[in-house]
Amino acid sequence: MMMKIYAKASLDVGEIREKVRCGCDGIEYNLCSDFACYGENFTHNYPEEVFTLKNVEVVHVPFDNKGQMMNIERVFQREDLRPIRNVFRLAQYCAEYWGHRVLVVIHASISFYDFMEYELLRKRIERELGQLLCDFSMVDIAIENVVPMEYKEERPYSPMLCNGIFTDIPQIVHYLRASFAERVGSVLDVCHAAMTRKYMTALLSAADFLPKGALPDKIDYSMEHYFRANQGICKLIHFNDFEKNGYGRAHGTVFQSQEKVDDLLKLYKYYGYDCPLTIEIREDNYLDCVNYRKTKTMIEHSRYQ
């Protein structure tokens, strides 16, 4: 069976039309910070075509109005849960319109150790997430691995080191599945995984923590280990690459070789994955998605497809 390929698009009619022209099995909404302002009345604030042009499969939690990603540990410790509730409302609306389940994707930059230690936060996540899953019965959630450091030069904040970069996410997912079963899963972002390997290898090497020979699992940041750790719980793969330092316009780039695509799809096949891939590629012009088309062709031409 051919894997399903989703296209990531903002709530813009022109961009969604272009992704439909390019060819995709469904849309993953890339919610932006405007949704934090307009999400309360999304059916009135966005054109109807945004919801009806192409079947919506995934809704990605947006940046907040300060430009920070609404990670799971940030969202659920706030008194006002309307921002995340609005995301679930949108997902449920699309699920009812298209007649199938819709996945909400959220980042986590908390380690599994801290997740378990921060008992009050953990219990609130369980309680409020449980309520959301109850209220929005056609919506599931998946937690995505992040990069080791959040930093944007144009923002006033100092660099923030993150922990939800490796096996933390699968461990959190397995814990939550004890309560919510398969309605909770993971998202494996291969760009984030590759960046993690680059920076953690450099950090461990500088600290003289890299042993000679085989790496123990706890510091083996290979792509194969990511696929192994997410086996059986992964609901979606974000499929893209990075260049240079991987930040800004160097993030979410097109793959530079067919070999890199083949290596990833080989792991996908070897570990028995059957989840969809979202092509999450940066474009110079989102009304002419050259890089999306190129990436889609590389997937279709892979010997592991």
PDB file of all heavy atoms in Angstrom, residues 270-287:
ATOM      1  N   TYR A 270      11.660  -0.650   7.054  1.00  0.00           N
ATOM      2  CA  TYR A 270      12.284  -1.674   7.890  1.00  0.00           C
ATOM      3  C   TYR A 270      11.570  -1.809   9.234  1.00  0.00           C
ATOM      4  O   TYR A 270      11.371  -2.918   9.743  1.00  0.00           O
ATOM      5  CB  TYR A 270      13.757  -1.335   8.115  1.00  0.00           C
ATOM      6  CG  TYR A 270      14.481  -2.334   8.989  1.00  0.00           C
ATOM      7  CD1 TYR A 270      14.938  -3.540   8.461  1.00  0.00           C
ATOM      8  CD2 TYR A 270      14.692  -2.080  10.343  1.00  0.00           C
ATOM      9  CE1 TYR A 270      15.594  -4.462   9.258  1.00  0.00           C
ATOM     10  CE2 TYR A 270      15.340  -2.998  11.151  1.00  0.00           C
ATOM     11  CZ  TYR A 270      15.793  -4.190  10.608  1.00  0.00           C
ATOM     12  OH  TYR A 270      16.429  -5.107  11.407  1.00  0.00           O
ATOM     13  N   TYR A 271      11.166  -0.675   9.822  1.00  0.00           N
ATOM     14  CA  TYR A 271      10.525  -0.694  11.144  1.00  0.00           C
ATOM     15  C   TYR A 271       8.997  -0.790  11.061  1.00  0.00           C
ATOM     16  O   TYR A 271       8.314  -0.620  12.070  1.00  0.00           O
ATOM     17  CB  TYR A 271      10.965   0.520  11.957  1.00  0.00           C
ATOM     18  CG  TYR A 271      12.376   0.340  12.484  1.00  0.00           C
ATOM     19  CD1 TYR A 271      13.458   0.953  11.875  1.00  0.00           C
ATOM     20  CD2 TYR A 271      12.629  -0.498  13.575  1.00  0.00           C
ATOM     21  CE1 TYR A 271      14.751   0.762  12.345  1.00  0.00           C
ATOM     22  CE2 TYR A 271      13.915  -0.690  14.045  1.00  0.00           C
ATOM     23  CZ  TYR A 271      14.974  -0.066  13.428  1.00  0.00           C
ATOM     24  OH  TYR A 271      16.260  -0.268  13.884  1.00  0.00           O
ATOM     25  N   GLY A 272       8.507  -1.080   9.876  1.00  0.00           N
ATOM     26  CA  GLY A 272       7.085  -1.384   9.730  1.00  0.00           C
ATOM     27  C   GLY A 272       6.150  -0.211   9.925  1.00  0.00           C
ATOM     28  O   GLY A 272       5.003  -0.384  10.357  1.00  0.00           O
ATOM     29  N   TYR A 273       6.588   0.988   9.591  1.00  0.00           N
ATOM     30  CA  TYR A 273       5.732   2.163   9.719  1.00  0.00           C
ATOM     31  C   TYR A 273       4.640   2.134   8.648  1.00  0.00           C
ATOM     32  O   TYR A 273       4.870   1.671   7.520  1.00  0.00           O
ATOM     33  CB  TYR A 273       6.546   3.444   9.566  1.00  0.00           C
ATOM     34  CG  TYR A 273       7.275   3.883  10.823  1.00  0.00           C
ATOM     35  CD1 TYR A 273       8.191   3.054  11.457  1.00  0.00           C
ATOM     36  CD2 TYR A 273       7.052   5.138  11.381  1.00  0.00           C
ATOM     37  CE1 TYR A 273       8.865   3.449  12.603  1.00  0.00           C
ATOM     38  CE2 TYR A 273       7.716   5.550  12.521  1.00  0.00           C
ATOM     39  CZ  TYR A 273       8.612   4.698  13.129  1.00  0.00           C
ATOM     40  OH  TYR A 273       9.269   5.095  14.270  1.00  0.00           O
ATOM     41  N   ASP A 274       3.472   2.655   8.994  1.00  0.00           N
ATOM     42  CA  ASP A 274       2.399   2.797   8.015  1.00  0.00           C
ATOM     43  C   ASP A 274       1.705   4.144   8.133  1.00  0.00           C
ATOM     44  O   ASP A 274       0.642   4.364   7.542  1.00  0.00           O
ATOM     45  CB  ASP A 274       1.373   1.664   8.140  1.00  0.00           C
ATOM     46  CG  ASP A 274       0.717   1.616   9.524  1.00  0.00           C
ATOM     47  OD1 ASP A 274       1.026   2.483  10.366  1.00  0.00           O
ATOM     48  OD2 ASP A 274      -0.104   0.711   9.749  1.00  0.00           O
ATOM     49  N   CYS A 275       2.292   5.073   8.893  1.00  0.00           N
ATOM     50  CA  CYS A 275       1.687   6.387   9.097  1.00  0.00           C
ATOM     51  C   CYS A 275       1.949   7.289   7.887  1.00  0.00           C
ATOM     52  O   CYS A 275       2.862   7.033   7.094  1.00  0.00           O
ATOM     53  CB  CYS A 275       2.238   7.040  10.362  1.00  0.00           C
ATOM     54  SG  CYS A 275       4.001   7.391  10.303  1.00  0.00           S
ATOM     55  N   PRO A 276       1.169   8.353   7.739  1.00  0.00           N
ATOM     56  CA  PRO A 276       1.388   9.303   6.640  1.00  0.00           C
ATOM     57  C   PRO A 276       2.656  10.130   6.843  1.00  0.00           C
ATOM     58  O   PRO A 276       3.206  10.205   7.952  1.00  0.00           O
ATOM     59  CB  PRO A 276       0.142  10.195   6.686  1.00  0.00           C
ATOM     60  CG  PRO A 276      -0.824   9.493   7.580  1.00  0.00           C
ATOM     61  CD  PRO A 276      -0.024   8.682   8.532  1.00  0.00           C
ATOM     62  N   LEU A 277       3.087  10.760   5.752  1.00  0.00           N
ATOM     63  CA  LEU A 277       4.182  11.732   5.771  1.00  0.00           C
ATOM     64  C   LEU A 277       3.615  13.098   5.423  1.00  0.00           C
ATOM     65  O   LEU A 277       2.868  13.227   4.439  1.00  0.00           O
ATOM     66  CB  LEU A 277       5.250  11.388   4.724  1.00  0.00           C
ATOM     67  CG  LEU A 277       6.407  10.462   5.076  1.00  0.00           C
ATOM     68  CD1 LEU A 277       5.899   9.076   5.451  1.00  0.00           C
ATOM     69  CD2 LEU A 277       7.373  10.373   3.899  1.00  0.00           C
ATOM     70  N   THR A 278       3.940  14.100   6.217  1.00  0.00           N
ATOM     71  CA  THR A 278       3.645  15.480   5.831  1.00  0.00           C
ATOM     72  C   THR A 278       4.914  16.088   5.252  1.00  0.00           C
ATOM     73  O   THR A 278       5.944  16.148   5.923  1.00  0.00           O
ATOM     74  CB  THR A 278       3.187  16.332   7.023  1.00  0.00           C
ATOM     75  OG1 THR A 278       1.900  15.883   7.459  1.00  0.00           O
ATOM     76  CG2 THR A 278       3.057  17.800   6.620  1.00  0.00           C
ATOM     77  N   ILE A 279       4.839  16.510   3.986  1.00  0.00           N
ATOM     78  CA  ILE A 279       5.952  17.241   3.384  1.00  0.00           C
ATOM     79  C   ILE A 279       5.899  18.665   3.926  1.00  0.00           C
ATOM     80  O   ILE A 279       4.976  19.424   3.653  1.00  0.00           O
ATOM     81  CB  ILE A 279       5.865  17.230   1.850  1.00  0.00           C
ATOM     82  CG1 ILE A 279       5.971  15.795   1.324  1.00  0.00           C
ATOM     83  CG2 ILE A 279       6.969  18.101   1.249  1.00  0.00           C
ATOM     84  CD1 ILE A 279       5.834  15.674  -0.185  1.00  0.00           C
ATOM     85  N   GLU A 280       6.881  18.994   4.733  1.00  0.00           N
ATOM     86  CA  GLU A 280       6.911  20.264   5.483  1.00  0.00           C
ATOM     87  C   GLU A 280       8.108  21.077   4.996  1.00  0.00           C
ATOM     88  O   GLU A 280       9.139  21.159   5.649  1.00  0.00           O
ATOM     89  CB  GLU A 280       7.013  19.948   6.981  1.00  0.00           C
ATOM     90  CG  GLU A 280       6.808  21.125   7.895  1.00  0.00           C
ATOM     91  CD  GLU A 280       6.988  20.741   9.358  1.00  0.00           C
ATOM     92  OE1 GLU A 280       7.849  19.897   9.661  1.00  0.00           O
ATOM     93  OE2 GLU A 280       6.267  21.286  10.187  1.00  0.00           O
ATOM     94  N   ILE A 281       7.945  21.656   3.810  1.00  0.00           N
ATOM     95  CA  ILE A 281       9.071  22.257   3.097  1.00  0.00           C
ATOM     96  C   ILE A 281       8.884  23.759   2.943  1.00  0.00           C
ATOM     97  O   ILE A 281       7.816  24.243   2.580  1.00  0.00           O
ATOM     98  CB  ILE A 281       9.217  21.606   1.695  1.00  0.00           C
ATOM     99  CG1 ILE A 281       9.505  20.100   1.824  1.00  0.00           C
ATOM    100  CG2 ILE A 281      10.311  22.281   0.887  1.00  0.00           C
ATOM    101  CD1 ILE A 281      10.844  19.759   2.416  1.00  0.00           C
ATOM    102  N   ARG A 282       9.954  24.485   3.208  1.00  0.00           N
ATOM    103  CA  ARG A 282       9.947  25.941   3.028  1.00  0.00           C
ATOM    104  C   ARG A 282       9.950  26.288   1.536  1.00  0.00           C
ATOM    105  O   ARG A 282      10.587  25.603   0.732  1.00  0.00           O
ATOM    106  CB  ARG A 282      11.179  26.538   3.709  1.00  0.00           C
ATOM    107  CG  ARG A 282      11.223  28.045   3.739  1.00  0.00           C
ATOM    108  CD  ARG A 282      12.467  28.515   4.483  1.00  0.00           C
ATOM    109  NE  ARG A 282      12.436  28.078   5.877  1.00  0.00           N
ATOM    110  CZ  ARG A 282      11.781  28.716   6.840  1.00  0.00           C
ATOM    111  NH1 ARG A 282      11.099  29.808   6.565  1.00  0.00           N
ATOM    112  NH2 ARG A 282      11.814  28.276   8.082  1.00  0.00           N
ATOM    113  N   GLU A 283       9.250  27.355   1.175  1.00  0.00           N
ATOM    114  CA  GLU A 283       9.170  27.810  -0.213  1.00  0.00           C
ATOM    115  C   GLU A 283       9.519  29.297  -0.296  1.00  0.00           C
ATOM    116  O   GLU A 283       9.283  30.050   0.645  1.00  0.00           O
ATOM    117  CB  GLU A 283       7.756  27.608  -0.779  1.00  0.00           C
ATOM    118  CG  GLU A 283       7.217  26.197  -0.700  1.00  0.00           C
ATOM    119  CD  GLU A 283       7.771  25.271  -1.774  1.00  0.00           C
ATOM    120  OE1 GLU A 283       8.492  25.758  -2.678  1.00  0.00           O
ATOM    121  OE2 GLU A 283       7.470  24.058  -1.709  1.00  0.00           O
ATOM    122  N   ASP A 284      10.038  29.707  -1.443  1.00  0.00           N
ATOM    123  CA  ASP A 284      10.198  31.137  -1.702  1.00  0.00           C
ATOM    124  C   ASP A 284       8.856  31.776  -2.021  1.00  0.00           C
ATOM    125  O   ASP A 284       8.625  32.946  -1.732  1.00  0.00           O
ATOM    126  CB  ASP A 284      11.175  31.365  -2.861  1.00  0.00           C
ATOM    127  CG  ASP A 284      12.595  30.976  -2.500  1.00  0.00           C
ATOM    128  OD1 ASP A 284      12.977  31.145  -1.321  1.00  0.00           O
ATOM    129  OD2 ASP A 284      13.327  30.494  -3.378  1.00  0.00           O
ATOM    130  N   ASN A 285       7.964  30.979  -2.626  1.00  0.00           N
ATOM    131  CA  ASN A 285       6.636  31.458  -2.997  1.00  0.00           C
ATOM    132  C   ASN A 285       5.645  30.324  -2.745  1.00  0.00           C
ATOM    133  O   ASN A 285       5.672  29.310  -3.445  1.00  0.00           O
ATOM    134  CB  ASN A 285       6.617  31.871  -4.472  1.00  0.00           C
ATOM    135  CG  ASN A 285       5.242  32.342  -4.923  1.00  0.00           C
ATOM    136  OD1 ASN A 285       4.304  32.456  -4.124  1.00  0.00           O
ATOM    137  ND2 ASN A 285       5.116  32.620  -6.212  1.00  0.00           N
ATOM    138  N   TYR A 286       4.770  30.497  -1.755  1.00  0.00           N
ATOM    139  CA  TYR A 286       3.847  29.419  -1.389  1.00  0.00           C
ATOM    140  C   TYR A 286       2.671  29.287  -2.359  1.00  0.00           C
ATOM    141  O   TYR A 286       1.843  28.404  -2.194  1.00  0.00           O
ATOM    142  CB  TYR A 286       3.348  29.613   0.045  1.00  0.00           C
ATOM    143  CG  TYR A 286       4.416  29.265   1.062  1.00  0.00           C
ATOM    144  CD1 TYR A 286       5.236  30.259   1.602  1.00  0.00           C
ATOM    145  CD2 TYR A 286       4.624  27.948   1.448  1.00  0.00           C
ATOM    146  CE1 TYR A 286       6.237  29.935   2.510  1.00  0.00           C
ATOM    147  CE2 TYR A 286       5.617  27.615   2.356  1.00  0.00           C
ATOM    148  CZ  TYR A 286       6.422  28.613   2.881  1.00  0.00           C
ATOM    149  OH  TYR A 286       7.415  28.286   3.770  1.00  0.00           O
ATOM    150  N   LEU A 287       2.651  30.143  -3.377  1.00  0.00           N
ATOM    151  CA  LEU A 287       1.667  29.985  -4.449  1.00  0.00           C
ATOM    152  C   LEU A 287       2.280  29.268  -5.651  1.00  0.00           C
ATOM    153  O   LEU A 287       1.608  29.056  -6.663  1.00  0.00           O
ATOM    154  CB  LEU A 287       1.110  31.359  -4.866  1.00  0.00           C
ATOM    155  CG  LEU A 287       0.411  32.149  -3.750  1.00  0.00           C
ATOM    156  CD1 LEU A 287      -0.140  33.459  -4.299  1.00  0.00           C
ATOM    157  CD2 LEU A 287      -0.698  31.327  -3.102  1.00  0.00           C
TER     158      LEU A 287
END
